[in-house]
Amino acid sequence: MIESKIVDVHVEAYIKTLLPENVGLLKQLEQYAEENLVPIVQPEVAQFLKVFMKMRPYEAVLEIGTAIGYSGSLMALEMTKGTIDTIELNPEMAVKASETFASLREIKPEVIVTQHVGNAMEVIPTLNRTFDLIFIDAAKGHYKAFFDLCYPMLRPGGVIVSDNVLYKGMIATNLYLVSRKITIVKRMRKYLAFLTRHPELETTVLPMGDGLAISYKTGGNA
Ligand SMILES: C[S@@+](CC[C@H](N)C(=O)[O-])C[C@H]1O[C@@H](n2cnc3c(N)ncnc32)[C@H](O)[C@@H]1O
């Protein structure tokens, strides 16, 4: 276990003992991710996302960073119906994700998942639609650029969830800074300052997993 710089190690270990075990597709993907060193949302973030998705019926989701389709499946399984557009740069990941979404279709045909393979910077401008939830979980140095492209597609009353915003504790303090990460760290600090001061957003930063920012777009019900 890598020691967290975000949550006290004992608290994190304790919370992990409280998490329910996933079954079926999600369990298989967790095993695949562990065996193949694929980065997926941390277990406590996965559980948070599950609860979060239950609290309100999201129907049009954009995910930036599909990987093998774990978080996409997790969200889809909590939706009653709707769509998920998910973007992945790495074609090999996208192949595995398409197998995941084929299995998902059997379990959850009410949610239509559209995979986009390519750089989100190029794909987002081609998406001619709006979303009520945007999940950003891709290259940490580009969150602000992703945000700028997809924010106009977020309906008032919609939510942006940004993962890894406290990046191994480095965003909060230079004490944990690894010098080769300085550009990512500076950009993420700017992104968090921007998000938390944005006049149309109400944002909370949660010290959970690698840090999660939840931003609610005011001005309506998505
Ligand atoms: C942390 S993983 C995503 C994990 C996934 N959301 C989950 O929890 O199951 C980040 C993914 O973003 C992809 N990625 C990085 N930069 C990207 C970009 N510019 N456009 C699209 N995908 C990108 C990476 O290839 C990687 O698979």
Side-chain angles (χ1 to χ4, degrees):
M1 187 171 64
I2 301 166
E3 191 176 324
S4 171
K5 301 272 196 324
I6 295 171
V7 183
D8 177 90
V9 68
H10 302 291
V11 175
E12 191 171 83
Y14 171 67
I15 290 173
K16 281 192 162 70
T17 69
L18 301 175
L19 297 175
E21 201 170 321
N22 283 315
V23 292
L25 180 61
L26 294 180
K27 179 81 187 165
Q28 287 164 24
L29 291 171
E30 286 164 9
Q31 282 165 351
Y32 181 95
E34 193 174 342
E35 283 160 18
N36 295 280
L37 303 177
V38 177
I40 57 171
V41 286
Q42 296 190 15
E44 53 274 44
V45 174
Q47 181 63 17
F48 172 85
L49 274 182
K50 255 195 207 178
V51 176
F52 174 82
M53 296 297 292
K54 283 182 195 295
M55 292 192 303
R56 171 174 150 190
Y58 292 100
E59 288 196 348
V61 177
L62 170 63
E63 176 179 65
I64 306 174
T66 317
I68 57 173
Y70 176 73
S71 52
S73 298
L74 189 145
M75 291 190 283
L77 289 168
E78 297 303 330
M79 291 163 70
T80 315
K81 63 181 165 74
T83 61
I84 298 184
D85 283 78
T86 181
I87 312 173
E88 174 55 52
L89 180 63
N90 179 335
E92 283 166 29
M93 287 280 191
V95 169
K96 173 64 185 166
S98 65
E99 289 171 22
T100 300
F101 295 133
S103 304
L104 181 70
R105 244 189 320 276
E106 305 283 315
I107 318 167
K108 198 78 192 195
E110 303 84 1
V111 178
I112 311 292
V113 178
T114 306
Q115 269 188 274
H116 305 269
V117 184
N119 189 335
M121 303 293 290
E122 285 151 27
V123 174
I124 298 167
T126 69
L127 304 174
N128 193 17
R129 52 167 311 174
T130 62
F131 299 98
D132 52 17
L133 175 63
I134 297 176
F135 180 46
I136 306 181
D137 188 18
K140 290 175 268 297
H142 295 109
Y143 276 25
K144 173 65 164 56
F146 296 146
F147 177 98
D148 287 344
L149 289 173
C150 64
Y151 185 69
M153 298 175 195
L154 184 68
R155 300 173 192 161
V159 177
I160 296 192
V161 176
S162 311
D163 196 18
N164 305 107
V165 294
L166 295 176
Y167 195 24
K168 299 183 177 171
M170 291 189 279
I171 309 305
T173 170
N174 285 346
L175 287 174
Y176 300 144
L177 185 63
V178 177
S179 55
R180 68 193 152 81
K181 301 288 185 188
I182 186 75
T183 305
I184 292 178
V185 167
K186 279 185 177 167
R187 288 184 183 178
M188 191 59 93
R189 285 175 182 165
K190 268 192 176 172
Y191 177 63
L192 282 183
F194 166 82
L195 268 190
T196 51
R197 290 168 200 160
H198 194 294
E200 290 173 358
L201 293 175
E202 197 71 63
T203 293
T204 181
V205 178
L206 303 177
M208 167 194 293
D210 202 23
L212 210 57
I214 317 285
S215 307
Y216 174 82
K217 187 174 186 175
T218 54
N221 299 309

